[in-house]
Amino acid sequence: MQTQLSKKLGIEHAIFGFTPFPAVAAAISRAGGFGVLGAVRYTAPDDLARDLDWMQEHVDGAPYGLDVVMPAKKAEGPNHQKLTEADVEAMIPEGHRQFVRDTLAKHGVPELAEGEASGWRITGWMEQVARSQLDVAFGYPIKLLANALGSPPADVIQRAHDHDVLVAALAGSARHARKHADAGIDIVVAQGYEAGGHTGEIASMVLTPEAVDAVAPLPVLAAGGIGSGEQIAAALALGAQGVWLGSLWLTTTEADLHSRALTGKLLAAGSGDTVRSRALTGKPARQLRTEWTDAWDDPAGPGTLPMPLQGLLVAEAVSRIQKYEVDPLLGTPVGQIVGRMTSERPVQAVFDDLTRGFERAVDRINRIAGRSGQS
């Protein structure tokens, strides 16, 4: 499963695995792919440094990368002044806070213990937090920096290139892909409608070749709805130089969701059990459909707030829902590929399945083309 990009990065398989879990990212790199650690949950630079130290010790010398979230639009005050988290929190209307309280009370969600801080904060959506993460990351031999919300600022791209780090950006349309190319990034991740997390409205089968044509000769990674080797072969046939997989790793044994109930919901979910909702961050993000997403998407409710207000508003609520495993409200970002995630397996077993499926697909195409026995 080699492409020009995989050879450039020195990996065996052109499989890029995004995950919030260091153990999963390290296992992906050890298996011959390219592990990419999501940084958005790290509110303290020391915590990120701790986990990058751990990864450095457990990738067995294989390359890995980091994914940050730097929104294209900054949260700014008058005269473009930078806002603190407290400044942004003060912008949240009381009516929205009351809606959160009422929804949690309706489902009997207990309060956090006195003095217990929310364990889930999306301050990483704020640019200054992402920049502090980069200050840490560039002290490690990362080989790739990815940004989930558009092209990083020009100075960040230059800084990455000064450290010989490739820069990737996610795109939901050919227009977005061209903007990334114009900004000087190195890799476009064409993320289709089927993907988990923030995603656009164009399906992967349409988006991938459009992005490939739009930014050639820049490499494109296909993302969204990919969870088998046959689908990887299809992505490469469409011109991608690799695939970007995220949801598939959530039910690996190395993942640490801290909730058996949530793992159970993922294993039981079908491909139709997700929804694109602004409930989590304020931007459309595909996630498990729950009574929580239904409440926010109900026209009778107050509606969601823009990023980063929505993420700050629901942070404590999400922590409480997760801690107490309140089943009707319990969810997570995940793509439509969740329908294939039916058992817990080690990362290596997932890779073995992907490579076997890829070989089957290549053999099938060779037979169709009258080249049986050739590779």
Side-chain angles (χ1 to χ4, degrees):
M1 214 180 294
Q2 285 277 307
T3 66
Q4 185 178 355
L5 179 60
S6 67
K7 292 175 182 176
K8 181 175 182 177
L9 287 167
I11 57 177
E12 182 180 359
H13 304 298
I15 298 173
F16 294 72
F18 163 79
T19 174
F21 307 117
V24 176
I28 291 169
S29 290
R30 289 197 307 271
F34 191 98
V36 182
L37 178 65
V40 71
R41 69 190 181 95
Y42 293 97
T43 57
D46 288 348
D47 291 340
L48 177 59
R50 177 201 63 217
D51 282 356
L52 287 176
D53 283 338
W54 187 92
M55 282 193 62
Q56 189 63 27
E57 295 174 1
H58 290 83
V59 294
D60 294 347
Y64 61 94
L66 191 74
D67 179 279
V68 297
V69 177
M70 302 186 79
K73 294 182 179 180
K74 304 176 185 179
E76 294 180 328
N79 302 318
H80 304 290
Q81 70 196 61
K82 288 186 177 181
L83 299 178
T84 66
E85 183 180 340
D87 293 331
V88 177
E89 289 247 25
M91 298 179 182
I92 298 173
E94 177 56 31
H96 282 73
R97 295 187 186 278
Q98 187 60 49
F99 180 75
V100 171
R101 290 192 288 266
D102 291 346
T103 303
L104 296 179
K106 175 183 176 181
H107 292 275
V109 183
E111 298 276 356
L112 295 176
E114 185 175 351
E116 182 179 358
S118 167
W120 191 88
R121 301 294 285 171
I122 319 189
T123 52
W125 306 120
M126 300 175 69
E127 182 181 341
Q128 60 264 38
V129 176
R131 286 185 177 274
S132 70
Q133 294 166 347
L134 295 180
D135 290 339
V136 172
F138 286 130
Y140 293 81
I142 63 171
K143 298 301 181 185
L144 176 71
L145 173 67
N147 189 40
L149 290 177
S151 302
D155 67 298
V156 171
I157 295 174
Q158 184 59 55
R159 189 178 177 191
H161 288 166
D162 290 344
H163 284 82
D164 293 323
V165 174
L166 297 180
V167 179
L170 274 64
S173 70
R175 179 175 61 86
H176 291 155
R178 282 191 291 268
K179 288 179 65 176
H180 296 336
D182 292 342
I185 62 96
D186 306 290
I187 302 167
V188 169
V189 181
Q191 179 158 290
Y193 171 84
E194 307 95 324
H198 295 117
T199 186
E201 299 179 350
I202 303 174
S204 299
M205 183 64 76
V206 174
L207 176 61
T208 299
E210 285 187 348
V212 168
D213 290 343
V215 302
L218 279 184
V220 170
L221 300 178
I226 300 173
S228 72
E230 289 84 353
Q231 290 170 309
I232 295 174
L236 299 188
L238 292 172
Q241 288 201 31
V243 293
W244 177 276
L245 310 182
S247 299
L248 194 62
W249 316 111
L250 289 173
T251 52
T252 57
T253 54
E254 292 90 345
D256 188 11
L257 288 177
H258 298 293
S259 171
R260 294 304 304 168
L262 181 54
T263 298
K265 291 188 78 169
L266 288 170
L267 295 174
S271 57
D273 292 328
T274 68
V275 63
R276 284 175 76 243
S277 171
R278 298 177 183 267
L280 189 62
T281 69
K283 284 185 175 291
R286 185 171 297 284
Q287 53 204 282
L288 282 179
R289 182 175 182 177
T290 65
E291 292 188 31
W292 177 255
T293 62
D294 286 348
W296 282 105
D297 295 338
D298 189 337
T304 55
L305 297 171
M307 179 183 283
L309 300 181
Q310 182 71 15
L312 292 172
L313 168 66
V314 305
E316 181 181 322
V318 171
S319 285
R320 289 164 59 185
I321 292 167
Q322 291 178 346
K323 176 178 179 178
Y324 299 110
E325 298 188 327
V326 183
D327 191 81
L329 306 179
L330 187 62
T332 188
V334 69
Q336 291 180 329
I337 200 63
V338 70
R340 294 186 64 95
M341 296 157 51
T342 57
S343 64
E344 292 182 81
R345 298 179 295 165
V347 167
Q348 184 62 62
V350 174
F351 259 84
D352 292 343
D353 187 51
L354 293 175
T355 54
R356 284 194 296 265
F358 180 81
E359 290 170 356
R360 286 194 300 268
V362 172
D363 287 344
R364 186 180 304 124
I365 294 301
N366 279 334
R367 288 196 299 272
I368 293 171
R371 295 192 299 268
S372 181
Q374 299 182 23
S375 58

